[in-house]
Amino acid sequence: MSTAVETTESVQVSRNQSRRRLHRHDSFFHDAEKVTYAERHGANDDWARTLSLAFQSIGIVYGDIGTSPLYVYSSTFTNGIKHKDDILGVLSLIIYSLILLPLLKYCFIVLLANDNGDGGTFALYSLISRYTKISLVPNQQAEDALASNGHLEGLTPELKRAHWLKQKLENGIVAKILLFTCTIFATSMVMGDGVLTPLISVISAVGGGLTEKVNLTTNQIDWISAAIFVILFSAQRFGTDKVGYSFAPIVSLYFLFIGGIGLYNLIHYDIGVLRAFNPKYIVDYFSRNGKQGWISLGGVLLCYTGTEAMFADLGHFSVRAVQIGFSCALFPAVSLAYIGQAAYLRKHPEDVAGTYYKSIPSPLYWPTFIVSVGAAIIASQAMISGAFAIISQSQTLGCFPRVKVLHTSKKYEGQVYIPEVNFALGLLCVILTFAYKDTTKIGNAYGIAVTMVMFVTTIFVALVMLLIWKISIFWIILFFTIFGAAELIFLSSALYKFKDGGYFPIAVAAVLMALMGIWHYVHVKRYWYELTHMVSNEKLEELTTRRIRGRIPGIGFLYTELVQGVPPIFAHLVEKVPYIHSVLVFVSVKTLPIPYVSSGERFIFRQAEPKEQRLFRCVARYGYNDQKEDANAFAASLIEQLKSFVHDESIFVQTTQSQQIINNENIRLRPGAKSAVHVEEKLDEQISEPQHIIQENQIYEQELTNGVVYLLGETEVRAERNSGIFKKIIVNYVYSFIKKNSRQGEKAFLIPRDQILKVGMIYEI
């Protein structure tokens, strides 16, 4: 009897193992379950790699904030120094601004709010949108949530505050639009920074140095600066990796120069300026100067310009690398430079207009000038790289027209180059070099752009603290009060000089916001049009069984933005051409609000009914920093995973049928192992790979050999006839113009022109 029981148990165990092995996988869940977490670069870097990235970051991230000593004192004391203790007050403001905003806020708080290693406004927006449904296009469907990099943690009932805020954001369309508007506004400001940083850095370095020793006219300095910009933007094609290694030694040498000269000036002129570490001098400064002291904050804030680059360029490096670069290289060198200049000004207050160059000891003047010009050129790199990264993110999230994004490094995934954006930035720099004749006006514009972006970042990080980190409300209020208040005070001073050049970043932001807003508005409307007009299952069966007259050899990939079903353009195609390929796959290339999706999770499938028609729906998922394969590699990878999907589906069906037969026969086990073995053999026989699966795989291989045709919807979006005149202008003319002048779909998907079939259709939204 015991033998019979043991045998029965062994058969049951064997059966359970088989069931586990053949457990049903829904098509959208299949791939997600068998993939491990895809680590982002920088997550587990060793020290050698971290130090290498930290060295590169010196050349890419810190050139901007590092060259601020070129112009801060001259921009602050525009009317000269009225009282010698004002120097101590301004120095104290500079020191504590550097400690408060770049060091405490960014280096140790904001950098931690990264989106799997990526920083910037769009990274914060996409991070928040995964935890709350604030995106105007649905991004929290089941198939998206299972991507390992996009896994969402459920909110517990105890966290009422986070849950309450989550509901408010999800249920309020105004809140969603406001957050999106803040995102594209900050992105537009960063683009403005990408133009203003080269202007103020290069013109200050070249103009200040040559004016001091060589008698050059303003026009000659402008032409020299313009030539430098042409060389700088031409070098961007080589990539952040190579540019960073080339620039880092120059910036490191520059930091040694300004730090060493600052230490020399401190000892030689007035070591007493160290009293500025006492914040009492800030209070005294405002007491003496009143409104003029507040206005001068527009010059003081230039000491932290370039801080946002620490976050925007994070995808090029890692958190630890950026922290090391700031704490060990930039902060000590720049602090000594400001302290040394203050010590010099205590003895020579009349030289405030050219403090940087006049405070350099004579034997070191020309070496320092050459290194400073080199550092000023490099300073531009910080915001240029940041602009590339943010535009790349915004494009893949449907917020920017298609542009060509080139990944310039195989080792560091976030390093990209965008030719169109690079050309636009370079052209603007050259034009504005001749348009702006005064670096003070450039500084006014620059201060507004930088501080506005920083304040938007403060708002978004506070939301991250509330919704994702779920920390104490005390720390959130403290964070927002201290940093937000400081930024608003600086911003109010910068806006006071709006008419004196400060209008430029606002104008740039307005144009870019209009561009991004229109593009995203129509993108959302197109998505919802396809969603409401998708082909139903009944309509699909009618099309495949009654309308289609024959099948064409080969495989067809019909691209659609629709994830949930079959797009309306398929019905339009069948009505016009009643023939389809032997295997047809509806491909939705979807960018999730995460930086990367591992290759194992790339494709998920579902088979459309009736199954004998070989129609499949496929979602090809990418992160916003993933590099897309060429068409041949994409097709081969998709078909390989499709065969795996068909195999698993067929095995499941076969096993289910076999198990049902065994249960219906109601097999009875007798004492002894023979019957048990017989049952196991019969079960194994039923779950063995049937011949038709092999034949099916051969069919897919053969059809792949016959060729792949890519069917692209050439949709023309038009406003509905009863729409208002403003909507018709935006959709019918402005959007159409932008689309015609942006990169076309076949180029974005890297599809050979001889394999494309375009299907025209009009969408009325």
Side-chain angles (χ1 to χ4, degrees), residues 259-280:
I261 291 171
L263 185 61
Y264 168 80
N265 287 337
L266 172 65
I267 297 170
H268 183 72
Y269 291 107
D270 187 3
I271 200 169
V273 296
L274 293 177
R275 289 176 293 165
F277 280 95
N278 184 348
K280 168 185 175 295

Side-chain angles (χ1 to χ4, degrees), residues 395-410:
Q395 176 191 246
T396 51
L397 291 175
C399 302
F400 200 84
R402 287 193 183 118
V403 290
K404 187 176 184 179
V405 178
L406 299 175
H407 292 253
T408 58
S409 174
K410 294 181 179 178

Side-chain angles (χ1 to χ4, degrees), residues 651-681:
I651 287 289
F652 173 78
V653 172
Q654 183 72 16
T655 306
T656 303
Q657 294 173 350
S658 302
Q659 191 65 55
Q660 189 171 2
I661 292 172
I662 294 173
N663 292 337
N664 291 340
E665 289 178 355
N666 196 18
I667 299 174
R668 296 181 179 180
L669 296 177
R670 298 178 182 178
K674 184 176 181 180
S675 297
V677 172
H678 174 70
V679 173
E680 281 193 9
E681 289 177 350

Side-chain angles (χ1 to χ4, degrees), residues 56 60 234-246 316 381 385 388 406-409 415-417:
Q56 282 191 56
I60 298 298
S234 298
Q236 295 303 315
R237 69 184 67 186
F238 299 112
T240 306
D241 189 14
K242 296 182 181 64
V243 172
Y245 270 122
S246 303
H316 296 250
Q381 187 62 45
S385 299
F388 290 160
L406 299 175
H407 292 253
T408 58
S409 174
Q415 299 184 358
V416 296
Y417 163 67

Side-chain angles (χ1 to χ4, degrees), residues 98-115:
L98 287 172
I99 292 172
L100 185 67
L101 296 174
L103 184 63
L104 293 181
K105 178 191 168 185
Y106 274 84
C107 202
F108 295 110
I109 300 175
V110 173
L111 290 184
L112 302 180
N114 63 83
D115 187 19

Side-chain angles (χ1 to χ4, degrees), residues 191-192 194-200 203 222 225-226 229 424-439 442 445 501 503-505 508:
M191 290 293 291
V195 176
L196 292 170
T197 301
L199 282 176
I200 193 167
I203 293 176
D222 289 343
S225 300
F229 292 143
L425 291 176
L427 183 62
L428 275 173
C429 277
V430 172
I431 292 173
L432 292 175
T433 298
F434 296 99
Y436 274 113
K437 298 295 183 182
D438 186 2
T439 55
I442 301 173
Y503 55 83
F504 174 76
V508 171

